[in-house]
Amino acid sequence: MKRASIGLEATGDAAGGAVPEFFIPAASSLQERRPRTLKHDDSFAVFDHNGNALSGPGSPEGLYHRDTRHLSLLCLTLGGTLPILLSSTLRDDNATLTCDLTNPDLHDEHGHLALEHDLIHIRRSRFLWQAACYERLALRNFDEAPRRLRLEITFAADFADVFEVRGARRQRRGTLHPAELGEAQVTLAYTGLDGQRRQTVLRFDPAPHVLTAERAVFEVGLVPHEACALYLEIHCTAPDTGITPRRALLGALREAHRALRFSSMRAATLTSSNDIFNEALRRSVSDLHVLVTETPEGPYPYAGIPWFSTVFGRDALITALETLWIDPVIARGVLRHLAANQASTLDPVADAEPGKILHEIRQGEMAQLGEVPFRRYYGSIDSTPLFLMLAGAYLQRTGDTDTLRRLRPNLDAALHWIDAYGDRDRDGFVEYGRYSDDGLINQGWKDSHDSIFHADGRTAHGPIALAEVQAYVYGAWRAAADVFRKLGQVARARRLDLRADAFRQQFDQAFFDDRLGSYALALDGDKRRCCVRASNAGHALFTGIAYPERAAAVVRTLMASPSFSGWGVRTVAATEARYNPLSYHNGSVWPHDNALIAAGFARYGFKREAARIFEGLFAASIHVDLRRLPELFCGFARQRSRGPTLYPVACTPQAWAAAAPLALVQSCLGLSFNPTASQIMFDEPALPEFLEEVVLRRLSVGEGSVDVSLRRAGSQVVVNVLERRGKVQVLTSN
């Protein structure tokens, strides 16, 4: 298969640069593999259904820590043969991977049947915790005769940078060291060109009968119906060797479950009358829990696995907006962490400018050496206004003026960036253009090299002003006005509101196109409209920059068959020159994009259309492995009795895709909060056809919380308070 046009300049928001060596090769499909993923903080792992990691061209399998693959091979054999897969499941909370296996027919050296199939059961249970992978390998003999089994685990560590795994080619690499062997432990190590030593330590319990630099061999004797267990630890840092792997696993498992319970208890919960939707919701919430990483500033959702398990600005900001109603602590962590990493100097290599909010952080060898520009990279045009939007939304949700007062210098710097650096040609709009040839060509969320184009298919040249970025800037000024008003700076808030009013008119005149029935995709460097029907226009409704009289036309355009596939709104309509349902940004369907569009529809009173988007994405999740919405799927039209066409290298889980169903619930219910008055409001709530009832529990505002049921009653939705804790008012309007 040819290399996909989905490289770093095209691997979605959470992607990387514009030169060929950053491309992700499409030599194999992640959807075909349907890998099993685990994550904890800065470590993640990708395994096949057998629990093995068999890395090779196009394969992301392995154990990773801080953007380096610490284990590139892990393979279990029984009698020299791969066991037969029975089942492979992730727990609903994503905490543990369990693989059930059995033996195939095994023959001796003379070709005679030595062990008939399906007599030995093998269960592999595995999880990640604090830079280590723990595994319990249980065997049981269901034969009527005693059996002597030879179990072998082969392993290797290539210490490849994640960009190498994605397809980058390096001229030079560091030094792989000879393995250090102990009785029950082997250490594999590598010193990179950055001078950093990286190591992988494998510990076995009990000690293998044979242990080399590449394999561990166990000779296991089992009488009829006897069971035994072996334990394996794989550490990406130095392990605590004071306790056995068995005891270490049990202790780590207790801590992992305790941490998961703690993080899940702080958020509201949601159940519904639809069992399948409940499954999808549980997976979405579990994906968010596993992607959220603790930073010194608070919880922060990493973008996605396998390629983007790190800090991304835009992804986390949108994820925080999507989840703000259910768990505002995530938004606070995102704001504080991005504030701590806000640019303070001009750095052309990193596309950094004072006040700008970052795009991506990488910790691997290639980033440390500058072989890729993403050690701390700021090449996204929308992270800064989204930062301001989230700050305003967080204050509106929580009333937490103390946090916003502490963030005040960062808000000031972000506003200054919009004026001093965002508007490159001083025409009033915010544009982007990279400083370095290694940076991103396109710096909006559609960052493929060919994603911004004119009606005839010609790619646009910069500096480029994107429609949705102007919408975010408008939203940023409105949000900042709200914040400063709450902080007592009424005059400054008024100036920002007046500026937003004037900008709204300027945007309407420059971007709305009657022939499209929508807003143009962008303005190019000559201020010519890119007259393309694209999903970006829906973001103008999301932030409220669209005049009310424009809303109906935009909704009609986005919900017409060229744009709405039945599963969701396409990034680019089927009528446009570069439309390709197989592309990354020119005709695919992105759940997070649709969640924002649906929020915009609901804002302008188009709840029925928002519910149609909700229904389409829910229907798509029914057909997807684990009910897990991927980063994106192809834009082919929905057909009866068929699921969506999956995109070959879409990340899953992906934070802003996992959060999309939560945002869609809020949009359809018209849910908002007034923390000053301790009020929860439902404005003209609606339910999509697949839901008769939803129940929200521990929905908090101020110092109180409520449990609320919303149930369809004819053409309306009836709201009932099931339980009230503290002084909380629940208000509805129909």
Side-chain angles (χ1 to χ4, degrees), residues 348-414:
V349 174
D351 275 331
E353 296 154 330
K356 200 173 186 183
I357 298 299
L358 65 78
H359 173 67
E360 175 179 1
I361 289 178
R362 291 291 183 177
Q363 304 176 78
E365 179 185 359
M366 293 179 70
Q368 298 299 316
L369 293 170
E371 295 178 21
V372 294
F374 310 120
R375 180 176 183 178
R376 185 173 271 102
Y377 181 62
Y378 293 84
S380 63
I381 192 62
D382 47 10
S383 290
T384 308
L386 284 169
F387 174 78
L388 291 160
M389 283 181 60
L390 180 61
Y394 173 76
L395 182 60
Q396 188 178 62
R397 170 67 178 88
T398 64
D400 182 3
T401 54
D402 290 341
T403 294
L404 270 297
R405 194 170 282 111
R406 287 192 291 270
L407 291 173
R408 163 73 187 282
N410 306 100
L411 304 181
D412 289 337

Side-chain angles (χ1 to χ4, degrees), residues 7 73 177 441:
L73 172 65
H177 301 293
I441 295 174

Side-chain angles (χ1 to χ4, degrees), residues 138-470:
L139 296 91
R140 187 169 182 180
N141 177 17
F142 285 97
D143 196 0
E144 295 301 321
R147 290 295 178 180
R148 186 79 179 169
L149 306 171
R150 180 181 176 87
L151 201 73
E152 184 170 325
I153 300 172
T154 56
F155 50 84
D158 61 2
F159 297 100
D161 189 282
V162 69
F163 287 96
E164 289 183 274
V165 181
R166 284 169 52 163
R169 299 290 180 264
R170 301 182 65 191
Q171 298 297 319
R172 297 173 55 235
R173 295 194 83 245
T175 303
L176 280 169
H177 301 293
E180 301 172 15
L181 294 174
E183 180 184 0
Q185 175 175 309
V186 58
T187 300
L188 310 175
Y190 166 82
T191 299
L193 298 177
D194 58 352
Q196 183 175 339
R197 176 185 166 92
R198 297 168 174 88
Q199 68 176 24
T200 305
V201 181
L202 296 94
R203 301 177 64 215
F204 302 91
D205 183 9
H209 292 80
V210 177
L211 180 61
T212 72
E214 300 172 343
R215 64 193 179 107
V217 180
F218 298 87
E219 299 287 348
V220 179
L222 295 175
V223 300
H225 301 284
E226 183 184 7
C228 74
L230 311 174
Y231 296 86
L232 168 63
E233 289 181 64
I234 309 168
H235 284 267
C236 302
T237 56
D240 179 3
T241 55
I243 56 177
T244 65
R246 180 180 183 277
R247 288 180 55 206
L249 179 146
L250 294 174
L253 188 60
R254 283 194 299 269
E255 291 183 35
H257 285 163
R258 187 181 302 120
L260 191 60
R261 285 194 300 271
F262 177 79
S263 64
S264 62
M265 284 298 294
R266 71 172 183 237
T269 64
L270 170 64
T271 56
S272 80
S273 56
N274 188 313
D275 289 339
I276 298 176
F277 182 62
N278 291 339
E279 290 179 18
L281 271 178
R282 284 195 295 271
R283 184 61 62 186
S284 289
V285 171
S286 296
D287 285 348
L288 286 168
H289 284 318
V290 80
L291 288 168
V292 167
T293 299
E294 288 299 325
T295 73
E297 294 77 29
Y300 193 100
Y302 280 10
I305 299 173
W307 307 124
F308 310 131
S309 186
T310 187
V311 169
F312 280 86
R314 179 190 300 120
D315 295 65
L317 287 160
I318 290 176
T319 301
L321 286 167
E322 291 176 307
T323 58
L324 185 55
W325 72 271
I326 197 170
D327 189 3
V329 174
I330 292 175
R332 185 177 64 194
V334 168
L335 288 168
R336 293 175 60 187
H337 189 67
L338 291 177
N341 288 278
Q342 189 174 27
S344 58
T345 60
L346 188 66
D347 181 357
V349 174
D351 275 331
E353 296 154 330
K356 200 173 186 183
I357 298 299
L358 65 78
H359 173 67
E360 175 179 1
I361 289 178
R362 291 291 183 177
Q363 304 176 78
E365 179 185 359
M366 293 179 70
Q368 298 299 316
L369 293 170
E371 295 178 21
V372 294
F374 310 120
R375 180 176 183 178
R376 185 173 271 102
Y377 181 62
Y378 293 84
S380 63
I381 192 62
D382 47 10
S383 290
T384 308
L386 284 169
F387 174 78
L388 291 160
M389 283 181 60
L390 180 61
Y394 173 76
L395 182 60
Q396 188 178 62
R397 170 67 178 88
T398 64
D400 182 3
T401 54
D402 290 341
T403 294
L404 270 297
R405 194 170 282 111
R406 287 192 291 270
L407 291 173
R408 163 73 187 282
N410 306 100
L411 304 181
D412 289 337
L415 288 166
H416 177 72
W417 175 86
I418 291 175
D419 292 338
Y421 298 98
D423 185 1
R424 292 200 167 201
D425 55 11
R426 322 313 301 169
D427 69 336
F429 295 121
V430 171
E431 304 95 358
Y432 64 84
R434 60 182 180 174
Y435 287 111
S436 165
D437 288 343
D438 286 338
L440 288 163
I441 295 174
N442 287 317
Q443 298 190 352
W445 83 264
K446 297 177 182 178
D447 58 7
S448 303
H449 71 283
D450 61 348
S451 62
I452 310 302
F453 59 94
H454 285 281
D456 61 3
R458 289 179 297 113
T459 55
H461 67 85
I464 290 171
L466 294 168
E468 79 275 15
V469 171
Q470 314 318 309

Side-chain angles (χ1 to χ4, degrees), residues 78-79 81 84 103-120 143 145-148:
L78 181 67
T81 305
I84 298 172
N103 66 287
D105 287 332
L106 297 178
H107 299 82
D108 61 23
E109 62 273 17
H110 304 294
H112 300 134
L113 183 64
L115 180 64
E116 189 178 352
H117 61 84
D118 301 334
L119 292 175
I120 306 298
D143 196 0
R147 290 295 178 180
R148 186 79 179 169

Side-chain angles (χ1 to χ4, degrees), residues 412-543:
D412 289 337
L415 288 166
H416 177 72
W417 175 86
I418 291 175
D419 292 338
Y421 298 98
D423 185 1
R424 292 200 167 201
D425 55 11
R426 322 313 301 169
D427 69 336
F429 295 121
V430 171
E431 304 95 358
Y432 64 84
R434 60 182 180 174
Y435 287 111
S436 165
D437 288 343
D438 286 338
L440 288 163
I441 295 174
N442 287 317
Q443 298 190 352
W445 83 264
K446 297 177 182 178
D447 58 7
S448 303
H449 71 283
D450 61 348
S451 62
I452 310 302
F453 59 94
H454 285 281
D456 61 3
R458 289 179 297 113
T459 55
H461 67 85
I464 290 171
L466 294 168
E468 79 275 15
V469 171
Q470 314 318 309
Y472 300 158
V473 171
Y474 172 86
W477 285 333
R478 290 292 193 209
D482 289 343
V483 170
F484 289 127
R485 194 173 291 112
K486 292 278 178 39
L487 296 181
Q489 293 188 304
V490 178
R492 187 176 185 188
R494 177 62 179 161
R495 290 194 299 271
L496 285 166
D497 277 331
L498 290 173
R499 188 170 186 186
D501 288 339
F503 187 66
R504 190 184 198 189
Q505 182 177 8
Q506 181 186 8
F507 172 77
D508 184 78
Q509 292 172 348
F511 277 84
F512 194 81
D513 191 296
D514 290 315
R515 293 168 299 174
L516 295 178
S518 187
Y519 296 99
L521 170 61
L523 304 181
D524 71 7
D526 297 322
K527 302 307 163 188
R528 291 178 299 180
R529 289 177 182 166
C530 296
C531 293
V532 174
R533 294 175 183 85
S535 65
N536 307 57
H539 297 226
L541 304 183
F542 169 62
T543 70

